[in-house]
Amino acid sequence: MGIGLLFIGGVYGTMILAVHWLCRMQQKKGSAKMVRFIFTTKNNANQLEWYLYSLLFTSWVRGRPIKIAIFDDGSTDETLAIAHRAIKNRDCLEIYESVERLDDYIQTHQEEPLHIVALGQMGTQQQLTALRW
């Protein structure tokens, strides 16, 4: 029974390595498309931290490149501090301390896959620019 469990564990570990190797090969060929995430925030420290680290971990596991842009709308909590902590040693994060350039950013990257996440205060409606998908 113990040998069988070791065999299953070995096969499972080998498959994990094979999937990671295939993803890396796909990235080297340039076939993995860049996906951009745009966050609009205002006093969303807890939610932003969870989203950021979840996206970064998922992109690492799947081997897919992502770019994250954070547009803050005048937060008074730890939102910007969390964003600045997360940006250390990562070139996939951009922080904008105002939402004024949001429309320009969207227009600049409209040909790429964009995912907009509006983390507004609870109970408020967020107006977002309409995009061509």
Side-chain angles (χ1 to χ4, degrees):
M1 182 169 156
I3 294 174
L5 288 175
L6 286 174
F7 177 74
I8 290 171
V11 169
Y12 185 73
T14 303
M15 291 299 112
I16 289 173
L17 291 174
V19 167
H20 280 283
W21 180 76
L22 287 172
C23 288
R24 295 290 176 220
M25 297 309 288
Q26 213 177 21
Q27 274 185 336
K28 287 182 181 179
K29 290 180 184 177
S31 59
K33 292 184 179 179
M34 174 74 65
V35 177
R36 290 191 182 271
F37 290 88
I38 300 172
F39 287 92
T40 60
T41 65
K42 183 168 185 176
N43 296 330
N44 300 102
N46 292 335
Q47 295 154 331
L48 180 66
E49 186 171 27
W50 188 88
Y51 273 107
L52 282 179
Y53 289 115
S54 294
L55 279 173
L56 292 169
F57 178 74
T58 302
S59 73
W60 175 76
V61 168
R62 292 185 177 181
R64 294 186 181 167
I66 63 169
K67 290 278 186 186
I68 302 171
I70 302 167
F71 287 86
D72 188 65
D73 195 18
S75 294
T76 56
D77 65 351
E78 294 290 316
T79 301
L80 285 174
I82 288 171
H84 284 291
R85 267 195 313 255
I87 203 171
K88 289 183 182 176
N89 301 322
R90 293 184 179 95
D91 60 348
C92 64
L93 294 173
E94 300 171 301
I95 299 171
Y96 300 90
E97 297 189 12
S98 171
V99 293
E100 293 173 0
R101 295 181 47 206
L102 178 60
D103 288 334
D104 295 334
Y105 187 88
I106 291 171
Q107 290 298 325
T108 303
H109 301 289
Q110 70 180 352
E111 299 300 322
E112 302 172 22
L114 293 174
H115 299 280
I116 301 174
V117 182
L119 297 175
Q121 289 182 323
M122 300 294 276
T124 62
Q125 294 288 327
Q126 294 286 330
Q127 293 290 336
L128 297 177
T129 305
L131 296 176
R132 286 183 306 158
W133 295 99

